[in-house]
């Protein structure tokens, strides 16, 4: 049952991320401007605005350890922010559309650039440029839509709007596996996720099914049918419990079953 509904009719809502303070979120907007907003859910009031991006924000990642967050935009920039200040703390100009994410310890962040390179930055000295760059084979048929670290920090998952996702070694940049065999003919942005133990990778498909692979062997271990009516664009595992949620225009909650 929904507890409350908060509206952002004027600015629209796109990406939402919880911060570490209770009942607060940062979110990007899809109307009027591309300012990121810091909202108190408790009283539905804005705490701060983060202006700077001039096109749609396509990546938003909160540091796992402190009040910093990063955003990537179609204006070909990545910005580093601190919740306590409206001014951008750092700015990087890139060649193409970025995807970006913090590592689980909050010490580095990875930026996927132009759908062909992963650059790793040290947060304390990111203005010196990346300390590692991994170049991949460019694939003309699709572009990168997301980048996530596994909880143990050893793997990076790159999702695309094509029919495959890639698992790479976070230290060496080698491609460990390419997972495919799910439907995505309309170039939809489908969210891929690790399970919290970093062992399995899952993604939804446009026909409403969820595909699960073993990250080590690369084998597909399950296809789950959640009776979704459209493409599964959101898929996230609970960080503490054995449950996850998947969503198209409707939402499904998943619980483990122990077969007799």
């Amino acid at each position: 049952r929904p507890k409350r509904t908060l509206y952002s009719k004027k600015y629209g809502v796109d990406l939402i991320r919880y911060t570490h303070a209770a009942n607060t979120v940062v979110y990007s907007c899809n109307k009027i401007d591309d300012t990121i907003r810091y909202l108190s859910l408790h009283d539905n009031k804005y705490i701060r605005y983060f202006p700077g991006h001039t096109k749609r924000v396509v990546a938003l990642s909160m540091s796992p350890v402190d009040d910093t967050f990063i955003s990537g935009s179609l204006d070909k920039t990545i910005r580093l922010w601190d919740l306590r200040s409206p001014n951008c703390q750092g700015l990087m100009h890139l060649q193409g559309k970025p995807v970006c994410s913090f590592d689980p310890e909050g010490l580095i962040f990875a930026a996927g650039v132009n759908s062909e390179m992963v650059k790793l930055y040290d947060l304390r000295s990111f203005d010196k440029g990346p300390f590692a760059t991994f170049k991949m084979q460019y694939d003309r048929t699709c572009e990168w839509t997301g980048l996530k670290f596994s909880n143990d920090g050893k793997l990076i998952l790159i999702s695309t709007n094509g029919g495959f996702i890639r698992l790479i070694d976070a230290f060496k940049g080698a491609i460990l596996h390419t997972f495919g065999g799910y439907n995505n003919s309309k170039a939809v942005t489908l969210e891929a996720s690790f399970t919290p133990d970093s062992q399995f990778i899952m993604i939804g498909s446009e026909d409403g099914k969820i595909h699960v692979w073993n990250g080590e062997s690369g084998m597909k271990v399950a296809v789950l049918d959640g009776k979704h009516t459209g493409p599964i664009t959101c898929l996230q595992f609970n960080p503490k419990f054995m449950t996850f949620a998947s969503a198209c225009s409707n939402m499904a909650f998943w619980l483990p079953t122990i077969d007799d």
Side-chain angles (χ1 to χ4, degrees):
R1 242 178 263 124
K3 284 188 172 178
R4 284 170 69 212
T5 302
L6 306 176
Y7 290 100
S8 180
K9 288 181 177 172
K10 183 177 172 187
Y11 302 113
V13 183
D14 198 3
L15 306 173
I16 312 170
R17 303 288 180 261
Y18 275 112
T19 70
H20 302 295
N23 275 333
T24 60
V25 295
V26 286
Y27 73 94
S28 66
C29 304
N30 52 14
K31 294 181 187 173
I32 297 188
D33 62 14
D34 301 285
T35 297
I36 297 165
R37 290 173 164 79
Y38 181 22
L39 178 71
S40 164
L41 301 177
H42 168 67
D43 50 9
N44 199 16
K45 289 200 168 81
Y46 292 116
I47 303 166
R48 197 159 282 116
Y49 303 92
F50 305 98
H53 284 303
T54 56
K55 287 188 177 165
R56 191 161 70 90
V57 173
V58 291
L60 192 59
S61 177
M62 191 77 214
S63 163
V65 294
D66 61 22
D67 280 343
T68 50
F69 67 96
I70 47 175
S71 57
S73 159
L74 294 180
D75 64 17
K76 300 182 182 175
T77 65
I78 288 177
R79 289 174 182 262
L80 180 69
W81 309 87
D82 188 306
L83 283 176
R84 294 161 293 195
S85 163
N87 303 321
C88 161
Q89 308 289 301
L91 173 63
M92 283 175 314
H93 292 274
L94 307 164
Q95 250 67 62
K97 173 190 165 178
V99 287
C100 53
S101 182
F102 280 97
D103 83 312
E105 288 169 348
L107 298 172
I108 65 170
F109 65 87
V113 190
N114 249 7
S115 299
E116 60 178 347
M117 266 180 292
V118 175
K119 294 173 181 270
L120 300 182
Y121 294 84
D122 187 312
L123 215 57
R124 291 156 301 191
S125 57
F126 75 94
D127 48 345
K128 294 191 174 79
F131 66 84
T133 299
F134 309 138
K135 197 152 174 22
M136 319 264 151
Q137 186 82 39
Y138 180 66
D139 189 311
R140 267 190 202 85
T141 63
C142 63
E143 58 177 20
W144 295 0
T145 53
L147 183 152
K148 288 183 180 180
F149 278 90
S150 58
N151 272 346
D152 60 11
K154 293 176 182 172
L155 306 166
I156 293 173
L157 181 61
I158 294 168
S159 38
T160 73
N161 62 0
F164 67 91
I165 51 180
R166 285 220 167 100
L167 188 66
I168 68 171
D169 182 299
F171 299 103
K172 301 189 183 111
I175 296 174
L176 302 174
H177 296 291
T178 299
F179 303 119
Y182 59 91
N183 294 350
N184 189 14
S185 61
K186 298 187 183 74
V188 179
T189 297
L190 303 168
E191 182 177 23
S193 280
F194 286 101
T195 52
D197 61 7
S198 309
Q199 287 189 31
F200 298 93
I201 289 96
M202 51 210 301
I203 190 169
S205 64
E206 69 181 2
D207 59 8
K209 293 190 170 61
I210 295 168
H211 297 250
V212 188
W213 294 269
N214 181 309
E216 197 166 352
S217 69
M219 301 290 288
K220 189 173 282 188
V221 292
V223 178
L224 309 171
D225 189 358
K227 307 285 188 284
H228 281 288
T229 51
I232 298 173
T233 51
C234 294
L235 178 69
Q236 296 220 358
F237 221 98
N238 186 313
K240 289 188 177 149
F241 301 105
M242 278 290 292
T243 61
F244 68 91
S246 56
C248 57
S249 54
N250 58 350
M251 192 158 169
F253 288 94
W254 299 77
L255 290 165
T257 54
I258 297 165
D259 298 332
D260 294 334

